[in-house]
Amino acid sequence: MGIINNSKTDPNKILPMTYHWARQHYKDGVANNWTPEEVSMQKDVEQWKSDKVLSETERRLILWNLGFFSTAESLTANNIVLAVYRHVTNPEARQYLLRQAYEEAVHTDTFIYCCDSLGLDPDKIYTMYQTVPSIRGKDDFVVDLTKSIFDPTFEIDGQKNIRRFIHDLIGYYVIMEGIFFYAGFAMMLALKRQNKMVGIGEQFEYIMRDESLHLAFGCDLINTIKKENPEIWTKEFQDEIVELIKKSVVLEKAYAKDACPKGLLGINADQFCDYVEHITDRRLERIDLPKQYHTENPFPWMSQSVDISKEKNFFETRVTEYQTGGSLDWDE
Ligand code: MN
Ligand code: FE
């Protein structure tokens, strides 16, 4: 028995259930339901159109993050639906993947909404993953390291291929969603704390809450495969994964410096890099690998929950029946 390579798995028969964590992540995802239109962009539009509110540095940071996320969300959705779903046949895990795919559609929609509201040129934003080297570097890295499971002939038979599968899952979940999204999250939330682009900032908070669930599911999936196939988790393979993750950190720091070369009011660019190191150690621990950086969290506010009742504008316009939890928190 196992979550992969289980000839007894019937993808249509969800009960009785084996992996209750997958079911719980599905329920948590549903409880977090939101849509971008529930967040007003009015203040953001005013600030964006005014030449007195945002500095050139801040405009660059906003554009870089819209440029990265606008295509990264679709890349993630495609990975889930076209590659991961095919190989994870367990029905409760698939139920979660369907939920995640929907959330990626909501995130894609968020960037359409942002581009439309601010009147940005889509040809500029949606080609930044090709034209901006620091964004391209991240996307190319993920596409390159997740080649195996996109290969239509790939099957997870034998130790070598189970390792390839885990390697690619780490590429999607730990590196893309767990590391490459986080300098951007920190930047947009730092801006929001200065009362700038608060609508986009709020949307980023909701995306971050979803992403922390995606990451949690991904790590549970990876850890379950490891537990059920302990022979594949050799020292050599662990070292290979650590090296891969360290390479991704170099790319994420380059991106942070490129998006925000001079830092933001009260925050210097190196602090975004420290934050990337800090969260990477947490990702490593989550899949039982040794910490590499031991860097303190420069932004303790990133792990605090936001009390929704304080978000007055948001609360009043919200479709409240979706929400079963009272606070907006995430596992950073
Ligand atoms: Mn997403
Ligand atoms: Fe995601």
Side-chain angles (χ1 to χ4, degrees):
M1 294 297 269
I3 200 160
I4 52 165
N5 291 332
N6 187 346
S7 58
K8 292 201 183 96
T9 300
D10 176 353
N12 300 314
K13 184 175 169 292
I14 197 165
L15 290 178
M17 216 171 265
T18 313
Y19 302 102
H20 293 274
W21 51 265
R23 173 71 173 165
Q24 192 55 49
H25 292 320
Y26 172 81
K27 297 283 234 184
D28 291 345
V30 172
N32 285 348
N33 217 58
W34 68 287
T35 65
E37 286 86 355
E38 292 161 25
V39 180
S40 167
M41 288 288 288
Q42 198 191 324
K43 217 178 152 200
D44 299 52
V45 172
E46 284 166 22
Q47 292 185 338
W48 187 256
K49 298 214 162 130
S50 160
D51 52 11
K52 295 187 182 66
V53 181
L54 300 167
S55 66
E56 276 316 303
T57 308
E58 290 163 341
R59 283 180 189 274
R60 179 185 175 97
L61 176 155
I62 294 159
L63 287 174
W64 256 238
N65 283 306
L66 293 178
F68 170 68
F69 282 97
S70 59
T71 41
E73 298 290 2
S74 302
L75 182 72
T76 307
N78 288 329
N79 289 342
I80 298 302
V81 175
L82 299 174
V84 181
Y85 196 87
R86 186 163 81 91
H87 296 289
V88 179
T89 50
N90 169 265
E92 55 270 28
R94 278 192 162 178
Q95 187 187 37
Y96 180 77
L97 289 171
L98 292 172
R99 172 71 206 179
Q100 183 185 348
Y102 169 68
E103 287 169 12
E104 303 305 356
V106 170
H107 301 171
T108 299
D109 202 27
T110 306
F111 296 101
I112 295 175
Y113 181 55
C114 290
C115 268
D116 283 354
S117 317
L118 300 181
L120 302 175
D121 175 3
D123 281 331
K124 193 178 163 201
I125 299 295
Y126 283 81
T127 51
M128 286 176 80
Y129 80 108
Q130 292 160 326
T131 58
V132 176
S134 68
I135 297 178
R136 188 176 185 152
K138 296 206 284 181
D139 286 354
D140 283 354
F141 185 74
V142 167
V143 170
D144 192 57
L145 78 85
T146 54
K147 267 191 200 138
S148 298
I149 62 176
F150 253 110
D151 174 353
T153 64
F154 177 73
E155 295 299 335
I156 320 175
D157 50 350
Q159 287 193 33
K160 187 167 164 263
N161 285 334
I162 296 175
R163 275 191 206 105
R164 285 172 72 186
F165 188 56
I166 289 202
H167 167 277
D168 287 19
L169 286 176
I170 286 171
Y172 290 148
Y173 282 104
V174 179
I175 294 177
M176 186 62 160
E177 298 194 285
I179 296 173
F180 284 173
F181 281 13
Y182 277 78
F185 287 158
M187 286 177 196
M188 296 308 291
L189 267 55
L191 209 57
K192 178 176 182 274
R193 281 165 64 82
Q194 298 175 6
N195 258 316
K196 289 171 181 167
M197 305 305 272
V198 291
I200 298 187
E202 219 162 88
Q203 289 159 0
F204 267 76
E205 286 173 345
Y206 282 87
I207 290 178
M208 185 162 151
R209 183 177 65 174
D210 293 343
E211 294 304 337
S212 70
L213 265 183
H214 301 173
L215 179 65
F217 171 84
C219 290
D220 282 344
L221 177 61
I222 291 160
N223 289 336
T224 300
I225 300 171
K226 275 160 48 192
K227 205 167 92 195
E228 292 175 346
N229 304 274
E231 68 287 352
I232 63 106
W233 197 238
T234 57
K235 177 78 175 67
E236 195 192 357
F237 183 51
Q238 292 180 38
D239 291 345
E240 184 193 327
I241 296 296
V242 169
E243 283 317 304
L244 201 65
I245 290 176
K246 281 164 81 176
K247 269 191 209 157
S248 78
V249 169
V250 173
L251 291 169
E252 183 63 355
K253 287 182 185 172
Y255 169 80
K257 290 209 160 140
D258 187 36
C260 189
K262 292 186 215 140
L264 279 177
L265 207 63
I267 298 176
N268 62 50
D270 289 333
Q271 286 176 285
F272 288 112
C273 297
D274 288 348
Y275 180 68
V276 173
E277 291 187 352
H278 169 76
I279 57 118
T280 300
D281 274 344
R282 297 196 49 187
R283 309 295 179 253
L284 287 162
E285 284 184 301
R286 195 124 183 197
I287 51 170
D288 311 310
L289 291 171
K291 288 197 213 180
Q292 299 296 310
Y293 304 100
H294 305 275
T295 313
E296 245 186 86
N297 185 0
F299 309 134
W301 45 266
M302 280 294 284
S303 52
Q304 285 161 6
S305 358
V306 176
D307 182 351
I308 282 185
S309 61
K310 282 183 200 149
E311 308 274 341
K312 239 180 49 229
N313 290 336
F314 179 73
F315 198 65
E316 279 158 12
T317 53
R318 182 159 180 79
V319 182
T320 45
E321 66 261 34
Y322 288 150
Q323 185 68 28
T324 54
S327 75
L328 172 58
D329 60 3
W330 49 74
D331 181 12
E332 160 257 8

